[in-house]
Amino acid sequence: MDIKECLLCTHDGGEILAANAFLRIIAPEEPEFPGLIRVVWNAHLGEMTDLPAQYRSTLMQVVCQVEQLIRDVLHPHKVNLASFGNFVPHLHWHIIPRWEDDSYFPESIWGNKLREISEDLLLERHQQAQDLYETIRGFDFKSKYNA
Amino acid sequence: MDIKECLLCTHDGGEILAANAFLRIIAPEEPEFPGLIRVVWNAHLGEMTDLPAQYRSTLMQVVCQVEQLIRDVLHPHKVNLASFGNFVPHLHWHIIPRWEDDSYFPESIWGNKLREISEDLLLERHQQAQDLYETIRGFDFKSKYNA
């Protein structure tokens, strides 16, 4: 893929909550999935094993730190982690809080929708996601996880 | 969940290709997904952040090593990595070779099936998966990645 055509080379992919020279932590527009966070490697690489081992480690430390902040703020029943890149072959991780009453649980969010969630509950979780974003903005990723 | 009821506490989850005191690398029965490998943490934990950071690092190094062996042997178009645990909340990673002509690409393997793959091609890929299993069995995970 020409990087001029890569969505994650030409666009941030969401609101940048934190960033360093290597990666960015973004809050994407995901109306159905409040609190879903992505960690995007800035350079155009497809796979974890395209990265030198040192950078893989830094990236996963950041992914796990985001998981911890999601757990601390949102207290979901489960957290899902995934790196696919089938549509956009540019290394990025999905960190997804899951609740037993969310629309897809226990299916993956890429699976079949199993139920409707009430608008009130969805709104409440999007409001809590704002607290998560604030917590991520306030966390010192830069000094802790610069590769 | 009572660990007596956990499928990954009571069952290996597939053929064990390699193992150390902390984790096992398994070839599960996945007729539709030749070459899919799982790395299962032996102790019953739900999330990456339930593990001390040192063990997270070991686990991800093993996951990435499996990804590298999958790429070396199978040359897929993409590799997908995922840790969900919604059905079985016991820490395990899916490492999934993907081809542009597989039945679900570019959807995730938990998404909608998009096409049928020919029996001949599926058989060929299952035969190549046997080479992958042999490569994983022969790789020295124990001395390289013991935590």
Side-chain angles (χ1 to χ4, degrees):
Chain A
M1 174 182 277
D2 190 321
I3 65 170
K4 281 183 239 162
E5 293 168 9
C6 172
L7 267 176
L8 288 174
C9 288
T10 54
H11 297 76
D12 292 337
E15 185 194 337
I16 296 179
L17 303 175
N20 65 22
F22 301 101
L23 57 83
R24 58 191 189 267
I25 302 171
I26 61 172
E29 284 280 334
E30 288 285 356
E32 283 198 299
F33 306 116
L36 187 158
I37 299 291
R38 293 200 179 100
V39 178
V40 180
W41 194 256
N42 287 333
H44 186 78
L45 298 168
E47 310 286 2
M48 279 295 279
T49 49
D50 289 333
L51 275 181
Q54 168 199 359
Y55 295 112
R56 289 178 214 164
S57 171
T58 302
L59 175 53
M60 287 313 297
Q61 286 176 53
V62 170
V63 167
C64 287
Q65 184 64 61
V66 170
E67 174 181 295
Q68 188 64 60
L69 297 177
I70 285 176
R71 294 178 75 182
D72 292 347
V73 177
L74 301 181
H75 308 288
H77 294 117
K78 193 70 196 68
V79 180
N80 290 176
L81 304 178
S83 169
F84 294 152
N86 301 335
F87 287 95
V88 182
H90 178 130
L91 186 58
H92 61 284
W93 282 88
H94 310 265
I95 304 123
I96 313 157
R98 301 299 308 274
W99 290 269
E100 287 167 8
D101 59 1
D102 74 36
S103 301
Y104 293 74
F105 197 91
E107 293 288 333
S108 92
I109 67 163
W110 297 274
N112 291 314
K113 190 169 186 168
L114 300 177
R115 66 188 74 84
E116 290 297 330
I117 186 170
S118 79
E119 283 190 26
D120 285 353
L121 182 55
L122 195 60
L123 181 64
E124 185 187 320
R125 288 190 178 151
H126 275 291
Q127 285 167 341
Q128 290 167 341
Q130 295 296 324
D131 297 339
L132 172 67
Y133 301 161
E134 202 50 42
T135 300
I136 292 173
R137 282 189 203 100
F139 189 88
D140 187 11
F141 283 96
K142 254 194 177 129
S143 70
K144 201 164 176 197
Y145 294 117
N146 247 324
Chain B
M1 173 183 275
D2 191 321
I3 63 170
K4 283 183 237 161
E5 293 167 9
C6 172
L7 267 176
L8 289 173
C9 287
T10 55
H11 297 76
D12 292 338
E15 185 194 338
I16 295 179
L17 303 175
N20 64 22
F22 301 101
L23 57 82
R24 58 190 188 268
I25 302 171
I26 62 173
E29 285 279 336
E30 289 285 356
E32 283 198 300
F33 307 115
L36 186 157
I37 299 290
R38 292 200 179 99
V39 178
V40 180
W41 194 255
N42 288 333
H44 186 78
L45 298 168
E47 309 286 2
M48 279 295 277
T49 48
D50 290 333
L51 275 181
Q54 168 198 358
Y55 295 113
R56 288 178 215 164
S57 170
T58 302
L59 176 52
M60 288 313 297
Q61 285 176 52
V62 170
V63 167
C64 287
Q65 184 63 62
V66 170
E67 175 181 295
Q68 188 62 60
L69 296 177
I70 285 175
R71 295 179 75 183
D72 292 347
V73 177
L74 302 181
H75 308 288
H77 295 117
K78 192 70 197 67
V79 180
N80 290 176
L81 304 178
S83 170
F84 294 153
N86 301 337
F87 287 97
V88 181
H90 177 129
L91 186 59
H92 61 284
W93 281 87
H94 310 264
I95 304 121
I96 312 157
R98 301 299 308 274
W99 289 270
E100 287 167 7
D101 59 0
D102 74 35
S103 301
Y104 292 74
F105 197 90
E107 293 287 333
S108 92
I109 67 163
W110 296 274
N112 291 315
K113 190 169 186 168
L114 299 178
R115 67 189 73 83
E116 291 296 331
I117 186 170
S118 79
E119 283 189 25
D120 285 353
L121 183 54
L122 196 59
L123 181 64
E124 184 188 321
R125 288 191 178 150
H126 275 291
Q127 285 166 339
Q128 290 167 339
Q130 294 297 324
D131 297 337
L132 172 67
Y133 302 161
E134 202 50 44
T135 300
I136 292 174
R137 282 189 203 100
F139 189 87
D140 187 10
F141 283 96
K142 256 197 175 125
S143 69
K144 201 162 176 200
Y145 294 116
N146 247 322

